[in-house]
Amino acid sequence: MPKKLHTTVCEESVFASIFKKNSEDLYKFLYYKYGANLNPRDKVQEAFIKLWDNCAKVTPENARGFIFTVAKRLMLNSIKHEKIVLEFQQEKPKDYTNESPEFLMEESQYLKKYQKALAKLPEGQREAFLLNRVEGKRHKEIAELLGISSKAVEKRIYSALNTLKEEIKELR
């Protein structure tokens, strides 16, 4: 049985070796999965910074899994941030419409109820529901993104729909 020489990643030579072996693979993983718009090279660097910050806690054997997990989370956080930015950059609606004032008022009230009901949903349900209904992602894709089973995704979406129906009576 070979004796382990290093138990942490804190030694520069061990860290450099891990960086050489994994940085390009991590970049390719992030680039192919999320594209170039979210700066995969930056996320690779941030992941290795986190590895260095936690070097005493991570063994060399677990370093690859650690940096891939950290980088994936960094990308998902960037995606969430981009969605928020896009929400505030949306175009202003046109100043005129063919709908009656009553319809516009009801639509506005409905939208407020809908947003309030969405805000009340637990995070997991809301996330799965929006990924499915707004972004059009399939259950399998959502399961991979969230790291859960497809059945769990179905249950979250189903529960979210039931809660929304209860909160917004007009959906019935």
Side-chain angles (χ1 to χ4, degrees):
M1 182 160 210
K3 185 178 177 183
K4 292 184 182 178
L5 298 175
H6 307 288
T7 57
T8 66
V9 183
C10 293
E11 294 181 31
E12 273 189 58
S13 60
V14 175
F15 185 83
S17 170
I18 291 169
F19 183 82
K20 270 186 184 175
K21 288 179 188 174
N22 297 297
S23 62
E24 197 59 33
D25 288 344
L26 181 57
Y27 168 75
K28 288 177 184 175
F29 168 76
L30 295 174
Y31 179 80
Y32 294 141
K33 186 161 178 116
Y34 302 103
N37 292 341
L38 297 172
N39 302 318
R41 288 246 184 250
D42 290 349
K43 301 305 183 269
V44 169
Q45 294 298 320
E46 289 178 49
F48 277 98
I49 290 170
K50 294 262 190 206
L51 177 62
W52 184 255
D53 290 343
N54 294 291
C55 66
K57 301 173 190 170
V58 180
T59 63
E61 296 82 26
N62 296 335
R64 181 177 173 90
F66 179 86
I67 57 172
F68 272 75
T69 301
V70 167
K72 182 179 174 185
R73 287 183 182 153
L74 289 168
M75 275 297 199
L76 292 175
N77 287 343
S78 291
I79 290 169
K80 285 181 184 176
H81 176 71
E82 288 294 319
K83 287 179 187 175
I84 292 170
V85 169
L86 285 174
E87 184 179 315
F88 287 105
Q89 290 179 342
Q90 288 179 344
E91 287 184 31
K92 284 188 167 186
K94 55 188 177 185
D95 292 338
Y96 61 91
T97 182
N98 296 335
E99 275 75 10
S100 69
E102 294 84 21
F103 175 81
L104 293 174
M105 187 177 75
E106 287 176 10
E107 182 182 40
S108 172
Q109 290 172 347
Y110 175 80
L111 184 60
K112 286 177 186 176
K113 285 181 184 179
Y114 174 69
Q115 288 173 338
K116 212 181 254 188
L118 273 178
K120 287 182 181 179
L121 289 175
E123 182 179 344
Q125 287 181 11
R126 182 175 54 250
E127 194 172 26
F129 177 79
L130 291 175
L131 284 170
N132 179 255
R133 298 301 167 109
V134 175
E135 295 188 15
K137 296 203 179 291
R138 296 174 183 247
H139 292 186
K140 186 177 179 183
E141 293 173 305
I142 297 169
E144 288 174 8
L145 274 174
L146 301 179
I148 58 176
S149 70
S150 291
K151 283 290 184 189
V153 171
E154 287 178 35
K155 183 172 175 28
R156 288 181 181 184
I157 293 170
Y158 179 76
S159 298
L161 283 170
N162 284 337
T163 304
L164 290 173
K165 284 179 185 177
E166 287 299 316
E167 291 288 327
I168 307 170
K169 305 296 183 202
E170 290 85 10
L171 287 177
R172 292 183 181 182

